[in-house]
C-alpha cells in the first residue's frame, strides 16, 4: 500500500519562482493536511481540507494556496517563493477531521535560494 | 501562547530504563490525542492514540491522559537504542466550526544511551 505519496522529494527554487507540491492518498480518507517543519519548531499546520471541496487555513497560511482536487489529491502551491519558505513539507491524511489518526507522506525538502 | 507544549529535551535515558515524556495542551475541549515518533530525516510515524482519561498500553508504550489537568504523557518501558528519536504530541483543536485542526507540539528528543 502506498499510503500518502508526495512529489517531489527534493526541490531547489530561486526566490520569486512558483511551484506546486503534490500529495495523493489511497486510503479513502476524507481529511488532508499540509504541514511545514522547521528545526525546533515542530510541525506547523499550513492548510487543511476537512473533506472534498473544502479548505481552511491553519497556523501559517501566508504565501501558500491549496487545492483539494478530488478526494485523493491535495496540492500546495507557492506562488512566489521566499527564502523563509525553506523547510520540509509534509502532507498527511486522516479518516475524519482531527479525531482520527493522521498518516504522513515522506516529505518534500524545499530550499529557496 | 503555544497550544501544545512539550519539553524539547534532549531526554537522555539509559538503555533498559523508562522514558517519560510529557505534553500539555490549551484547548479544554480537545478529545483526541496522539503520539508520533520521528527519526531524523524521516516522516512522523503514529505510535499511540488515546481518547479517554486513564492509561492505554501497547507493547512497551503507555499513554496516559488527564483531561482535567490538560495533560497527556507517554512512557517507554525497557528503552532501546532504537527508541532514540523525536516524539511529537498531537492534539485536535477546535477551529472555525469544526475540530479539524490537528496541532503538534515541538517534540521531545529522546536519546537512549547503552
Amino acid at each position: 500500500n502506498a499510503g500518502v505519496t508526495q512529489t517531489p522529494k527534493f526541490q531547489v527554487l530561486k526566490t520569486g519562482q512558483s511551484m506546486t507540491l503534490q500529495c495523493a492518498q489511497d486510503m479513502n480518507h476524507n481529511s488532508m493536511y499540509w504541514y511545514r517543519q522547521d528545526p525546533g519548531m515542530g510541525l506547523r499546520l499550513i492548510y487543511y481540507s476537512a473533506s472534498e471541496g473544502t479548505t481552511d487555513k491553519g497556523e501559517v497560511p501566508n504565501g501558500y494556496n491549496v487545492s483539494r482536487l478530488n478526494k485523493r489529491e491535495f496540492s500546495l502551491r507557492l506562488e512566489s517563493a521566499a527564502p523563509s519558505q525553506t523547510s520540509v513539507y509534509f502532507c498527511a491524511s486522516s479518516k475524519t477531521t482531527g479525531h482520527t489518526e493522521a498518516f504522513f507522506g515522506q516529505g518534500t525538502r524545499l530550499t529557496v535560494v | 501562547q503555544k497550544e501544545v507544549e512539550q519539553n524539547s529535551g534532549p531526554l537522555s535515558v539509559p538503555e533498559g530504563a523508562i522514558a517519560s515524556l510529557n505534553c500539555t495542551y490549551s484547548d479544554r475541549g480537545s478529545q483526541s490525542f496522539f503520539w508520533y515518533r520521528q527519526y531524523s530525516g524521516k516522516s512522523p510515524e503514529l505510535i499511540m492514540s488515546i481518547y479517554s482519561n486513564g492509561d492505554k498500553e501497547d507493547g512497551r508504550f503507555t499513554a496516559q491522559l488527564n483531561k482535567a489537568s490538560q495533560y497527556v504523557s507517554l512512557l517507554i518501558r525497557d528503552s532501546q537504542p532504537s527508541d532514540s528519536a523525536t516524539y511529537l504530541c498531537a492534539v485536535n483543536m477546535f477551529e472555525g466550526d469544526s475540530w479539524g485542526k490537528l496541532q503538534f507540539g515541538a517534540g521531545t528528543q529522546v536519546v537512549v544511551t547503552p
Side-chain angles (χ1 to χ4, degrees), chain A residues 33 35 37 40-45 48 50 56-59 90 94 97-107 109, chain B residues 2 31-32 34 36 38 41-46 49 51 88 91-92 95-96 98-107:
Chain A
Y33 312 83
Y35 289 89
Q37 187 172 39
M41 302 288 289
L43 287 160
R44 292 186 292 170
L45 183 63
Y48 67 99
D56 287 287
K57 295 179 181 179
E59 186 181 357
F90 289 103
S94 64
T97 310
H99 293 294
T100 56
E101 298 90 341
F103 297 90
F104 285 80
Q106 74 273 39
R109 188 172 294 274
Chain B
K2 287 191 176 180
Q31 297 294 318
S32 306
F34 309 95
Y36 287 82
Q38 187 175 27
K42 301 295 185 183
S43 58
E45 170 194 15
L46 180 73
S49 58
Y51 302 95
L88 302 166
V91 180
N92 79 311
E95 185 82 5
S98 76
W99 286 95
K101 185 178 174 182
L102 187 59
Q103 185 77 27
F104 282 79

Side-chain angles (χ1 to χ4, degrees), chain A residues 8 11-22 63-65 76-82 85 110-113:
Chain A
Q11 184 71 47
V12 178
L13 287 179
K14 293 182 179 178
T15 297
Q17 286 185 318
S18 62
M19 78 161 296
T20 300
L21 280 64
Q22 306 287 353
Y64 306 95
N65 287 301
L76 178 72
R77 182 159 179 85
L78 287 70
E79 291 291 352
S80 178
Q85 294 178 305
L110 175 68
T111 302
V112 182
V113 297

Side-chain angles (χ1 to χ4, degrees), chain B residues 73-87:
Chain B
S73 65
L74 179 71
L75 300 177
I76 308 173
R77 290 183 302 280
D78 187 25
S79 295
Q80 302 296 310
S82 59
D83 294 327
S84 296
T86 296
Y87 290 80

Side-chain angles (χ1 to χ4, degrees), chain B residues 38-97:
Chain B
Q38 187 175 27
Y39 293 114
S40 181
K42 301 295 185 183
S43 58
E45 170 194 15
L46 180 73
I47 53 172
M48 290 287 286
S49 58
I50 187 166
Y51 302 95
S52 304
N53 280 330
D55 295 0
K56 179 181 178 182
E57 186 175 316
D58 184 359
R60 295 186 295 111
F61 298 100
T62 299
Q64 299 174 315
L65 175 61
N66 183 327
K67 290 183 182 178
S69 300
Q70 296 174 240
Y71 174 93
V72 57
S73 65
L74 179 71
L75 300 177
I76 308 173
R77 290 183 302 280
D78 187 25
S79 295
Q80 302 296 310
S82 59
D83 294 327
S84 296
T86 296
Y87 290 80
L88 302 166
C89 173
V91 180
N92 79 311
M93 299 275 173
F94 194 81
E95 185 82 5
D97 58 356

